[in-house]
Amino acid sequence: MTEQTTTSTATDELADFDALAGRYQRELMAHCYRMSGSVQEAEDLVQETFLRAWKASAGFQGRSSVRTWLYKIATNVCLTNLEGRPKRPLPTGLGTADSRVGDALDENTDIPWLEPVPDAAVEVAERDTIRLAFVAALQHLPARQRAVLILRDVLRWSAAETATALDTTTAAVNSALQRAHAQLGERQLTPDDVTPELSSDQQRMLDAYLEAFWRKDVDTIVKLLAFDATWDMPPFTNHYRGAQSIGELISNQCPGGYEDMPMVATTANGQPAFGLYMRQPEGHFEPFHLQVLDVEGERVRHVTAFFDTELFERFGLPSQLPADYRPTLAT
């Protein structure tokens, strides 16, 4: 394809901006979410990207594909937005000691917590590059290191392409990538840790997990957790380690009882997730928290329970369940 043909194709693509936005919306959403750790911010950043692209479209010279050009704009929009903003952690990333069951719950709504993203809102080539633990690790990197790692390791851009996008040198890009890898290595996370699709055995395990919460069968819940499983629940800073401790937490500090906690399955960050509801005095069920599960083998190794009930609407989950609702249980 000649340079003239490439430029002509790009010009045609830019001519229909509504179609352009529809084509790249979800993958740019994933990019901005990785950078920001916030779904709401990512939505705003994508809109700002398209606005800047529309204003600059007349000057597009075809030196790159339209897709690459949009990613360059989006990355710089994100970097501007992140200036002076605090990082978005999960409770397990605060560096505090594990909590003991019985400790008072410490709610901190001043911390801008990392948010889960519905799978339906994003498009990714590799599911592991959007998983919650990886995005949480990214938030510990300075913004420019974060951008370099995403462009190089997730989007597979060359050092030269990345340097051009960030208006820096290839030496600076390589140095930033090396530092980013060192930090992620400390957390034993890389974008190449591929998470496979759930097996039939894992799906049966998740069915058993749902049923165990409905029955409040704590012994079964503990058996379905990895021995050293972890549990956190923003906006509470408390986090727990060990299947037995988590079982005690659910047994002693979770207000629901037998057939009080139905869960509705969904997906978040390329991982299985459940919207957990709690029975009310009137008999019906209302949103309680959204669990995002990290599964390894046939056990759950980490649960993040997000106590932000506004997430239920974002994930397309019901605003309440009727009193006669019963989850579909495995036979």
Side-chain angles (χ1 to χ4, degrees):
M1 184 178 290
T2 66
E3 181 177 346
Q4 182 177 0
T5 303
T6 302
T7 303
S8 177
T9 301
T11 302
D12 292 342
E13 194 172 10
L14 289 171
D16 188 347
F17 223 83
D18 288 341
L20 181 80
R23 187 176 302 119
Y24 296 110
Q25 172 82 27
R26 292 175 65 234
E27 61 174 290
L28 288 175
M29 179 68 183
H31 182 60
C32 293
Y33 169 71
R34 291 187 193 99
M35 286 291 295
S36 68
S38 164
V39 176
Q40 182 62 57
E41 284 184 22
E43 290 172 346
D44 293 342
L45 292 166
V46 171
Q47 293 308 308
E48 177 64 20
T49 296
F50 284 127
L51 178 61
R52 291 193 188 185
W54 179 75
K55 290 180 177 179
S57 60
F60 179 76
Q61 297 178 353
R63 294 195 179 98
S64 67
S65 67
V66 171
R67 180 177 181 269
T68 298
W69 179 64
L70 287 172
Y71 269 101
K72 177 180 178 180
I73 295 172
T75 302
N76 284 285
V77 166
C78 290
L79 288 173
T80 299
N81 178 73
L82 289 169
E83 288 179 4
R85 294 206 176 194
K87 300 167 185 176
R88 288 183 171 270
L90 289 175
T92 47
L94 294 176
T96 55
D98 300 337
S99 300
R100 294 181 300 177
V101 177
D103 290 349
L105 294 179
D106 177 25
E107 184 176 8
N108 191 328
T109 56
D110 293 330
I111 296 175
W113 297 104
L114 177 65
E115 300 170 356
V117 65
D119 281 9
V122 294
E123 180 179 320
V124 295
E126 297 169 322
R127 191 176 64 171
D128 57 299
T129 65
I130 202 72
R131 73 192 192 281
L132 198 61
F134 180 62
V135 178
L138 288 176
Q139 305 312 303
H140 290 274
L141 300 176
R144 288 186 71 83
Q145 281 187 31
R146 199 181 309 171
V148 167
L149 186 137
I150 293 170
L151 294 177
R152 293 284 282 116
D153 286 0
V154 177
L155 298 180
R156 311 297 184 185
W157 286 18
S158 68
E161 288 172 320
T162 303
T164 299
L166 300 178
D167 193 23
T168 187
T169 65
T170 55
V173 164
N174 290 333
S175 177
L177 183 63
Q178 185 177 22
R179 293 195 301 273
H181 281 164
Q183 287 207 44
L184 290 191
E186 293 175 4
R187 295 173 174 81
Q188 298 182 330
L189 288 165
T190 76
D192 295 316
D193 292 338
V194 177
T195 302
E197 296 293 328
L198 292 174
S199 67
S200 57
D201 287 340
Q202 288 173 323
Q203 188 57 60
R204 281 192 289 271
M205 181 272 292
L206 292 174
D207 291 342
Y209 185 84
L210 178 151
E211 182 172 357
F213 267 88
W214 174 239
R215 308 293 189 196
K216 201 172 185 181
D217 181 352
V218 175
D219 288 343
T220 296
I221 293 173
V222 169
K223 291 176 183 176
L224 296 172
L225 298 172
F227 176 78
D228 58 349
T230 50
W231 177 290
D232 56 6
M233 43 190 191
F236 301 100
T237 62
N238 308 65
H239 52 96
Y240 304 84
R241 181 176 298 277
Q244 289 297 330
S245 292
I246 295 169
E248 290 176 22
L249 173 74
I250 295 169
S251 179
N252 299 327
Q253 292 186 242
C254 182
Y258 179 79
E259 295 193 350
D260 281 342
M261 296 183 290
M263 298 201 295
V264 177
T266 184
T267 53
N269 297 78
Q271 300 167 231
F274 293 102
L276 186 147
Y277 294 76
M278 190 67 66
R279 189 184 294 278
Q280 301 302 301
E282 300 81 3
H284 69 287
F285 303 93
E286 292 190 357
F288 188 63
H289 67 226
L290 180 81
Q291 293 187 19
V292 181
L293 278 59
D294 187 359
V295 175
E296 183 176 46
E298 295 177 37
R299 295 290 183 272
V300 177
R301 66 178 178 182
H302 185 83
V303 177
T304 301
F306 292 91
F307 278 80
D308 177 1
T309 55
E310 292 182 2
L311 291 172
F312 281 64
E313 180 179 1
R314 181 177 294 162
F315 277 78
L317 295 168
S319 59
Q320 62 177 250
L321 299 174
D324 61 354
Y325 178 85
R326 296 293 182 270
T328 302
L329 303 177
T331 56

